[in-house]
Amino acid sequence: MNDPIKEGLARGWKVHGPGQRALPELVDCDVAIIGSGAGAGITAELLTRAGLKTVIIEEGPLRSSSDFKPQREDIAYASLYQEAAGRKTLDQAMNILQGRCVGGSTTVNWTGSFRTPKDALEVWAAKFGLSDFTESRMAPWFEQVERRLSIAPWQTDPNENNAVLKRGADKLGIPSFVIARNVKGCWNLGSCGMGCPTNAKQSMLVTTIPAALDRGATLLVQTRADKLLINREGKVEALVCTPVELDGKAAGPELRVRARHYVVAGGAINSPALLLRSQAPDPHGLLGKRTFLHPTVANSALLPDKVEGWAGAPLSIFSDHYLHQGPVDGPMGFKLEAAPVHPGFAATNLGGFGPALADRVRQFPNTQVMIALLRDGFHEQSAGGQVKLRGDGTPQLDYALNDYLFDGVRRAYLAMAEIQFAAGAQSVRPVHEQAADYKSLAEAKAGIARLDLRPFVTTVGSAHVMGGCTMAADAGRGVVRPDGQHWQLANLSVHDGSLFPTSIGANPQLSVYGLANRLSQGLVERLGGTPEALA
Ligand SMILES: Cc1cc2nc3c(=O)[nH]c(=O)nc-3n(C[C@H](O)[C@H](O)[C@H](O)COP(=O)(O)OP(=O)(O)OC[C@H]3O[C@@H](n4cnc5c(N)ncnc54)[C@H](O)[C@@H]3O)c2cc1C
């Protein structure tokens, strides 16, 4: 098995940081990109194709397929995720998963790929003035990305964990579909969340970042972008960075990156945090607000036969039935999918302790886990969270779980139970501290109706963080212009999931890729580079 990162380093890639070349004190370039995930990767490839001198700054480590071979959860979560996969909302009620390594969240994500849904784009046009972001105007940008990243519907049969969703939905007459994935020659191993050991996942780690490095980009790893130095005329003059250990502690003297233009692509939460730390202008008090999560709840079900939900493509079937039962700004809708059942992830997220947890662990081989991703950000009672800074400048998301959301949670528990029983489940348990293993749908209905829905007893998590640097047609409604440029800072753009004005009701990576593709090609033109399409 080849290792494209080792091969690239041997070819002379300019990578600086621990274990690589020494970090310079000062770097000059045309464009500095903060982050190396979904938005950053697409941007880096396009800028370097256009002949612009590009520096990529990533706070996480450079890891590759050889490092992912043990497929060990303890190693992966500690080294590839923000806050060792333990990032929490301010009140600690929700766990948030985000990547922190070269490739960002794309290195560890589950590969499901959806274009931005039409109803979300319509709300962006109506409420945020983004009238040029229609389905048909976005289509070419998505087509290019889909070609570049080999995005296509999954060809192989779903694993049993996903098949339960399809079987149950079919029985109830609920439409479900095959998910498109960004994979090439996938071995169907199922450990996408620990980094792909076969380089099949077309993440930024094996596609756009290597392409940019081959064209001469410089990559600084384990280097945190701390602060932008902004002058009185509203121009960014430099970026101050700190070398960091894996746990985020400073590991050396600060360094500076000077660029003609800066692209912030640290992901939702971290991008607004960098702008907050830099005291970027925010005349309308919008920065860090409207941060969305697709709050996600789960049901586990016990099946008579083996499910082995740790093996096989983690996401391959979805149903949007419950997103389309009312208006987008009505009661909260939800998307149904399955979640992988790796022991560490499942034991910590499925709740319980002591003998009950031990029993659940014994039952893992027969356990199916269904998830409902709740579409936040479309209703007045769903205004999203707010990114705040701790005393040491690190970010924290204040996101309140309210009754509007919990109404959706109760309906989601019930919808998932109906599908799981229809697929042959012997028992179903919503992941809620008061829930029991309900043995029939009638029992589940009665039990779910009685559940006390409030933070901490209701397990809610998220791997989809969006918003915080809202894109909008005027400065009164957004932090960033429709071309990605900051409304007040002429030489700074944002190209990542923090741009979304709402959540979208679909797994977000392809939306980030498509937007970054469109915005980067515009940026290339503004900077006088030679425009070139992504694929
Ligand atoms: C476990 C998991 C599963 C997922 N599954 C799917 C899926 O199946 N389908 C899907 O569509 N989406 C999925 N997602 C979400 C998807 O991957 C993200 O929405 C997407 O990658 C976000 O892109 P981004 O550019 O906004 O940020 P990211 O891809 O998260 O990249 C941000 C990068 O910036 C770096 N960074 C942040 N701040 C700084 C700083 N100050 N200095 C230097 N570097 C910094 C971070 O370390 C990170 O590497 C999943 C996410 C996770 C965590």
Side-chain angles (χ1 to χ4, degrees):
M1 178 70 52
N2 69 327
D3 183 328
I5 300 301
K6 283 195 175 148
E7 289 167 10
L9 290 169
R11 281 200 298 279
W13 280 353
K14 288 184 273 179
V15 179
H16 301 255
Q20 309 297 335
R21 301 175 186 208
L23 283 163
E25 281 175 28
L26 177 70
V27 199
D28 279 302
C29 57
D30 289 316
V31 185
I33 303 176
I34 293 131
S36 64
I42 298 288
T43 306
E45 174 160 349
L46 283 160
L47 295 179
T48 51
R49 276 188 192 212
L52 295 162
K53 190 177 172 203
T54 304
V55 175
I56 304 159
I57 301 122
E58 169 56 55
E59 67 172 330
L62 176 61
R63 296 283 188 266
S64 63
S65 45
S66 320
D67 304 303
F68 304 147
K69 288 243 163 70
Q71 300 186 261
R72 290 249 313 260
E73 288 182 275
D74 55 342
I75 298 173
Y77 302 153
S79 60
L80 305 176
Y81 285 67
Q82 294 286 344
E83 302 183 38
R87 179 169 263 189
K88 297 269 188 294
T89 48
L90 182 63
D91 65 1
Q92 312 280 304
M94 272 181 85
N95 198 44
I96 299 174
L97 296 176
Q98 284 183 295
R100 181 179 180 273
C101 53
V102 174
S105 303
T106 77
T107 299
V108 293
N109 79 17
W110 301 343
T111 74
S113 301
F114 299 87
R115 291 188 185 187
T116 318
K118 187 167 178 250
D119 46 13
L121 292 174
E122 284 169 356
V123 170
W124 293 8
K127 297 224 165 119
F128 298 89
L130 300 171
S131 49
D132 196 41
F133 289 74
T134 60
E135 223 183 1
S136 62
R137 298 281 288 162
M138 284 307 292
W141 305 107
F142 286 132
E143 278 160 20
Q144 286 176 17
V145 169
E146 286 158 359
R147 270 197 299 277
R148 175 71 181 95
L149 303 180
S150 299
I151 292 176
W154 180 232
Q155 299 290 313
T156 305
D157 286 342
N159 68 2
E160 178 60 11
N161 200 37
N162 281 269
V164 166
L165 169 54
K166 177 167 169 40
R167 215 166 50 234
D170 283 353
K171 281 243 173 79
L172 298 171
I174 292 170
S176 69
F177 300 93
V178 172
I179 293 180
R181 308 182 65 218
N182 55 319
V183 292
K184 207 194 254 180
C186 175
W187 290 30
N188 210 8
L189 294 175
S191 55
C192 307
M194 291 158 237
C196 181
T198 67
N199 300 307
K201 188 202 300 185
Q202 298 298 286
S203 67
M204 300 301 98
L205 177 65
V206 301
T207 57
T208 55
I209 297 292
L213 292 170
D214 276 335
R215 288 187 180 87
T218 299
L219 171 64
L220 312 182
V221 295
Q222 287 185 240
T223 304
R224 185 176 57 226
D226 273 330
K227 197 172 181 181
L228 298 151
L229 302 180
I230 300 169
N231 68 20
R232 286 209 183 122
E233 287 76 48
K235 202 167 168 231
V236 181
E237 291 196 325
L239 171 69
V240 181
C241 301
T242 307
V244 287
E245 309 276 4
L246 268 186
D247 63 5
K249 284 201 191 89
E254 64 178 40
L255 58 137
R256 281 179 190 217
V257 180
R258 271 195 320 228
R260 279 164 64 204
H261 198 91
Y262 299 80
V263 175
V264 178
I269 298 184
N270 282 38
S271 284
L274 171 64
L275 293 171
L276 286 167
R277 279 198 299 272
S278 310
Q279 291 167 347
D282 180 25
H284 304 282
L286 300 171
L287 182 58
K289 307 248 179 82
R290 294 192 67 77
T291 302
F292 300 104
L293 293 172
H294 287 154
T296 300
V297 293
N299 272 10
S300 73
L302 204 56
L303 273 292
D305 299 318
K306 289 246 164 41
V307 177
E308 298 184 340
W310 54 83
L315 292 182
S316 54
I317 300 290
F318 74 100
S319 173
D320 281 351
H321 180 68
Y322 299 95
L323 281 178
H324 304 306
Q325 292 194 315
V328 70
D329 57 353
M332 201 180 259
F334 49 89
K335 186 181 193 78
L336 293 182
E337 293 176 352
V341 196
H342 292 289
F345 183 77
T348 43
N349 286 296
L350 295 186
F353 49 86
L357 179 59
D359 260 358
R360 279 174 203 152
V361 171
R362 272 191 286 275
Q363 291 164 348
F364 274 166
N366 290 50
T367 299
Q368 193 269 346
V369 177
M370 198 172 293
I371 50 175
L373 296 87
L374 291 128
R375 180 173 54 185
D376 50 347
F378 292 88
H379 188 275
E380 57 182 21
Q381 286 172 45
S382 183
Q386 181 178 353
V387 176
K388 296 176 174 171
L389 297 179
R390 296 188 186 100
D392 64 358
T394 55
Q396 206 161 37
L397 179 67
D398 190 358
Y399 188 104
L401 300 172
N402 63 12
D403 288 345
Y404 171 74
L405 175 84
F406 283 130
D407 167 67
V409 170
R410 202 182 299 275
R411 285 182 284 107
Y413 284 156
L414 188 56
M416 292 191 285
E418 279 179 319
I419 293 173
Q420 288 167 314
F421 279 118
Q426 292 171 329
S427 66
V428 170
R429 185 179 62 90
V431 182
H432 183 290
E433 287 300 327
Q434 297 165 344
D437 291 308
Y438 305 125
K439 301 283 186 313
S440 68
L441 182 57
E443 217 180 276
K445 271 187 183 156
I448 290 168
R450 278 196 305 269
L451 291 177
D452 182 11
L453 295 183
R454 57 185 162 84
F456 301 105
V457 291
T458 313
T459 302
V460 190
S462 176
H464 296 172
V465 194
M466 300 153 282
C469 294
T470 303
M471 181 169 73
D474 51 76
R477 283 184 286 182
V479 174
V480 168
R481 301 188 328 191
D483 62 3
Q485 190 181 302
H486 191 278
W487 269 107
Q488 286 81 30
L489 299 171
N491 64 339
L492 182 134
S493 300
V494 179
H495 286 193
D496 62 15
S498 69
L499 292 167
F500 297 4
T502 60
S503 83
I504 54 173
N507 311 49
Q509 68 166 344
L510 181 50
S511 295
V512 180
Y513 298 140
L515 271 182
N517 184 22
R518 174 173 163 156
L519 304 184
S520 299
Q521 296 196 31
L523 179 61
V524 162
E525 281 184 31
R526 296 205 298 284
L527 293 177
T530 316
E532 237 193 283
L534 190 63

